């Protein structure tokens, strides 16, 4: 057991007032704090973020909140998994100091008169097929950063557009919290771990790693000079003929998140994709430099 630390037993906090007090206490005691925001249904991907947070701070705070404002009508908000007791146990075994698990009413009180607009950062990739999604993400993470003013926040590369938008939000809104990216954790066959993978039937699960294979192939060919459009079309057709419904496959500029037709040397890019298998949407990406 760590000595001299405020939390030797993990706390589960449900109110904004208490989490602000807890973070304030940790900070005045001289502890560096790290926040790992999640929607729960925790898996090894989330655990890797918690481990990274331990490397960077004395105390790790995990937030668990399925944020309604980032789900469009008809998306899976209602059926999103919420195994809260299991999640709390996992956090305990990963030596998390505080779990912040507010109710919907605690996070959103009364009418909201102000909205966010991620503008062109949300014009492509997931932002295009999920209108309003990233405005909701910015809204909730802005609230989280105000209520959990940790020193550092860890986000996964798995949601690269989210990461880039939140990095931009922190810079534009003068959040002093440091934003850190953590690598994507995968199953042995390459499929990126996701809370939504549990929706896949055995047959769909078997086909799911093909998205990652397509992204690897596109990235490798693009980095060696082939024109993006042709290789994307080729991989898209391959996925479709194997039962995937391609939402998008794109190469975008790392900074602007705008699609590119040709690559410049010395620049950073993202190859990103989203597919549906049945009703389940799977996303993944690769970052590369030319
Ligand atoms: P979520 O609970 O899906 O909102 O994800 C919470 C955080 O975990 C986000 O920063 C995600 O990018 C990250 N995450 C989700 N899946 C993975 C994964 N397979 N590997 C690493 N991080 C992940």
């Amino acid at each position: 057991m760590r000595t001299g630390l405020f939390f030797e037993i993990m706390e589960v906090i449900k109110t904004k007032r208490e989490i602000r007090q807890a973070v304030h206490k940790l900070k005045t005691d001289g502890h560096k704090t790290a926040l790992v925001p999640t929607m729960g249904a925790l898996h090894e991907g989330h655990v890797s973020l918690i481990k990274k947070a331990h490397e960077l701070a004395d105390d790790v705070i995990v937030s668990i909140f399925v944020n309604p404002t980032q789900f469009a009508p008809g998306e899976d908000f209602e059926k999103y998994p919420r195994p809260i007791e299991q999640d709390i146990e996992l956090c305990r075994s990963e030596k998390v100091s505080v779990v912040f698990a507010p109710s919907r009413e605690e996070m959103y009180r009364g009418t909201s008169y102000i909205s966010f607009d991620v503008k062109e950062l949300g014009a492509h990739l997931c932002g295009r097929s999920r209108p309003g999604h990233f405005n909701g993400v910015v809204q909730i993470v802005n609230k989280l950063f105000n209520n959990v003013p940790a020193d550092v926040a860890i986000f996964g590369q798995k949601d690269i557009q989210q990461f880039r938008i939140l990095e931009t939000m922190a810079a534009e809104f003068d959040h002093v919290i440091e934003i850190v990216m953590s690598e994507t954790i995968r199953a042995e066959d390459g499929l990126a771990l996701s809370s939504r993978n549990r929706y896949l039937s055995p047959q769909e699960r078997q086909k799911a790693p093909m998205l990652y294979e397509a992204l690897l192939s596109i990235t490798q060919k693009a980095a060696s000079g082939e024109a993006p459009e042709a290789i994307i079309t080729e991989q898209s057709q391959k996925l479709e003929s194997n039962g995937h419904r391609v939402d998008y496959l794109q190469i975008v500029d790392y900074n602007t998140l705008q699609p590119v037709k040709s690559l410049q040397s010395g620049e950073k890019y993202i190859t990103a994709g989203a597919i549906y298998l049945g009703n389940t949407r799977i996303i993944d990406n690769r970052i590369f430099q030319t």
Side-chain angles (χ1 to χ4, degrees):
M1 191 181 290
R2 294 165 300 173
T3 52
L5 293 190
F6 178 60
F7 295 111
E8 288 177 344
I9 297 169
M10 189 179 80
E11 296 249 328
V12 180
I13 290 179
K14 293 182 184 297
T15 66
K16 297 193 260 198
R17 187 178 56 81
E18 286 168 297
I19 190 68
R20 284 198 291 257
Q21 281 172 353
V23 179
H24 180 71
K25 172 86 171 81
L26 287 168
K27 287 184 144 185
T28 49
D29 285 351
H31 298 184
K32 189 168 178 194
T33 52
L35 169 66
V36 179
T38 80
M39 296 206 302
L42 304 179
H43 50 65
E44 284 304 311
H46 299 109
V47 170
S48 74
L49 266 54
I50 295 172
K51 290 192 190 310
K52 177 127 193 155
H54 277 303
E55 285 169 23
L56 299 172
D58 304 309
D59 287 272
V60 177
I61 301 157
V62 172
S63 65
I64 299 177
F65 182 64
V66 185
N67 174 39
T69 69
Q70 69 190 67
F71 288 78
E75 288 188 346
D76 59 345
F77 174 71
E78 304 298 340
K79 77 161 190 173
Y80 198 85
R82 291 166 172 86
I84 186 69
E85 294 306 325
Q86 239 171 285
D87 288 347
I88 287 172
E89 276 321 302
L90 184 83
C91 288
R92 208 185 299 283
S93 65
E94 292 302 323
K95 309 244 178 319
V96 167
S97 296
V98 187
V99 169
F100 178 48
S103 64
R104 178 178 184 155
E105 294 70 34
E106 178 66 15
M107 284 318 280
Y108 293 104
R109 285 186 196 151
T111 311
S112 172
Y113 292 101
I114 295 174
S115 62
F116 295 87
D117 184 358
V118 299
K119 297 186 189 168
E120 57 268 30
L121 290 182
H124 299 280
L125 311 176
C126 291
R128 182 163 177 184
S129 19
R130 303 186 69 188
H133 169 68
F134 289 112
N135 299 338
V137 170
V138 165
Q139 180 184 28
I140 189 62
V141 177
N142 193 43
K143 279 160 134 343
L144 278 176
F145 284 0
N146 286 328
N147 288 292
V148 192
D151 297 288
V152 50
I154 326 286
F155 295 92
Q157 182 193 327
K158 160 86 191 322
D159 298 276
I160 185 67
Q161 188 172 20
Q162 167 174 280
F163 177 84
R164 286 285 305 111
I165 287 172
L166 293 176
E167 223 182 12
T168 308
M169 178 196 85
E172 286 189 17
F173 292 4
D174 298 324
H175 284 292
V176 288
I177 197 163
E178 183 191 353
I179 312 287
V180 170
M181 184 195 286
S182 200
E183 66 175 4
T184 303
I185 304 300
R186 302 176 179 284
E188 269 182 23
D189 58 9
L191 175 66
L193 299 187
S194 164
S195 307
R196 290 186 169 101
N197 289 353
R198 67 188 70 192
Y199 303 151
L200 296 167
S201 70
Q203 292 82 350
E204 290 165 349
R205 173 63 189 81
Q206 215 183 348
K207 291 178 179 178
M210 286 187 68
L211 172 62
Y212 180 54
E213 289 157 22
L215 295 176
L216 286 178
S217 171
I218 293 168
T219 304
Q220 191 198 4
K221 289 180 180 172
S224 63
E226 287 189 42
E229 205 176 316
I231 47 183
I232 287 172
T233 305
E234 177 194 274
Q235 289 301 321
S236 197
Q237 284 167 352
K238 192 168 165 193
L239 285 167
E240 294 273 356
S241 65
N242 279 282
H244 294 232
R245 186 156 57 84
V246 176
D247 180 7
Y248 66 79
L249 268 186
Q250 277 180 324
I251 298 179
V252 298
D253 180 274
Y254 183 84
N255 293 306
T256 65
L257 300 181
Q258 301 308 302
V260 293
K261 290 215 178 303
S262 61
L263 308 189
Q264 313 298 319
S265 108
E267 296 295 327
K268 209 167 165 183
Y269 298 98
I270 300 163
T271 312
I275 57 95
Y276 284 92
L277 278 164
N279 291 325
T280 308
R281 190 164 179 277
I282 293 176
I283 62 169
D284 205 346
N285 68 84
R286 301 287 292 165
I287 299 173
F288 69 104
Q289 187 127 23
T290 43

